[in-house]
């Protein structure tokens, strides 16, 4: 017993004398999921003074981010998260000493960078922690992201398909979505063949851009300013 106590005191002293690696423990609440879940775990950290109910990185604030893949997290189970392996702007252990607010989020569909938090995601309450103590910081994934309202637009259909290239790259099933803008005359003659234009959005965009851009394209087609495609 005395030996263990001395080892613990020595570890605490070493931690005080040098930069201590941060340790995160993340638990999946049994009330949040009834079966094991997988995805990309994200942890956000900010030194913002005001209390945050949820941390969502913006373009102009200094929010630290770390990520780690988990193949299976069981309800009631706890996983260890290393915030120094894949992190921005630096490994979390290199953050200046001080008080921070942190939040964990499980991005189950790997689409947070496009859609931010959605109904498929699980996340924790924001916790406040003092860096450098050596004690693990604990999170509990106990809440779901907000449900997005279903969107509809005349002449715009959403299709799902599998991506063999991405499946080979990631080693897991990858399903993609695309917005298909139909020409105004399509409903009158669905057997007719039309030229096809493929448009790929830029970073932060997704298939839902078809709802807004599609309406403008269809108006131009109906007015004869664009060929139907």
């Amino acid at each position: 017993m005395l030996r263990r106590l001395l080892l613990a005191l020595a570890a605490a002293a070493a931690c005080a004398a040098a930069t201590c690696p941060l340790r995160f423990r993340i638990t999946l609440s049994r009330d949040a999921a009834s079966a094991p879940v997988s995805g990309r775990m994200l942890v956000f950290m900010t030194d913002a003074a005001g209390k945050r109910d949820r941390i969502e990185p913006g373009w102009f604030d200094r929010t630290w981010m770390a990520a780690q893949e988990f193949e299976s997290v069981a309800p009631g189970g706890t996983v260890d998260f290393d915030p120094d392996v894949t992190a921005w702007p630096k490994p979390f252990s290199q953050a200046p000493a001080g008080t921070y607010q942190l939040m964990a989020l499980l991005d189950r569909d790997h689409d947070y960078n496009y859609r931010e938090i959605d109904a498929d995601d699980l996340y924790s309450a924001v916790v406040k922690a003092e860096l450098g103590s050596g004690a693990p910081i604990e999170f509990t994934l106990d809440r779901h992201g907000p449900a997005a309202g279903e969107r509809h637009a005349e002449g715009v259909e959403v299709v799902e398909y599998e991506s063999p290239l991405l499946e080979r790259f990631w080693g897991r099933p990858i399903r993609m979505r695309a917005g298909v803008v139909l020409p105004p005359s399509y409903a009158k003659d669905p057997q007719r063949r039309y030229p096809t234009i493929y448009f790929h959005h830029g970073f932060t965009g997704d298939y839902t851009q078809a709802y807004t851009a599609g309406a403008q394209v269809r108006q131009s087609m109906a007015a004869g300013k664009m060929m139907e495609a």
Side-chain angles (χ1 to χ4, degrees), residues 19-22 64 83-84 90-96:
T19 301
C20 266
L22 286 175
W64 296 60
D84 288 347
K90 294 179 181 180
F92 278 29
S93 292
Q94 296 180 19

Side-chain angles (χ1 to χ4, degrees), residues 35-216:
V37 295
S38 63
R40 180 185 296 119
M41 193 78 73
L42 304 171
V43 174
F44 306 117
M45 181 173 73
T46 178
D47 59 358
K51 184 181 182 302
R52 297 281 187 94
D53 294 324
R54 197 163 72 197
I55 301 176
E56 295 178 316
W59 287 105
F60 304 107
D61 63 353
R62 184 178 175 83
T63 300
W64 296 60
M65 293 176 280
Q68 185 175 340
E69 290 288 334
F70 288 93
E71 294 185 359
S72 179
V73 183
T78 299
V79 295
D80 292 324
F81 181 99
D82 189 339
D84 288 347
V85 175
T86 304
W88 186 92
K90 294 179 181 180
F92 278 29
S93 292
Q94 296 180 19
T99 302
Y100 290 83
Q101 297 181 75
L102 304 98
M103 187 188 87
L105 179 146
L106 182 64
D107 179 16
R108 298 174 64 185
D109 286 344
H110 297 81
D111 61 356
Y112 182 87
N113 54 321
Y114 295 108
R115 304 176 61 83
E116 297 186 348
I117 190 169
D118 58 29
D120 291 324
D121 298 331
L122 298 166
Y123 69 103
S124 73
V126 175
V127 300
K128 184 177 287 188
E130 189 79 22
L131 299 192
S133 67
I137 299 173
E138 299 189 358
F139 306 87
T140 299
L141 303 176
D142 59 0
R143 53 202 72 190
H144 291 266
E150 186 108 13
R151 296 184 64 179
H152 297 281
E154 184 180 2
V156 178
E157 301 287 342
V158 175
V159 297
E160 290 192 358
Y161 58 96
E162 294 183 358
S163 173
L165 286 176
L166 289 177
E167 287 179 358
R168 287 199 296 269
F169 180 81
W170 290 109
R172 58 180 174 80
I174 298 292
R175 295 192 63 82
M176 307 288 289
R177 291 178 180 176
V180 179
V181 180
L182 302 173
S185 65
Y186 180 82
K188 299 177 182 178
D189 188 6
Q191 301 303 318
R192 176 183 168 186
R193 292 181 175 273
Y194 297 84
T196 303
I197 297 174
Y198 294 92
F199 172 80
H200 194 282
H201 55 77
F203 183 70
T204 75
D206 64 11
Y207 70 93
T208 60
Q209 288 180 319
Y211 290 117
T212 52
Q216 299 173 1

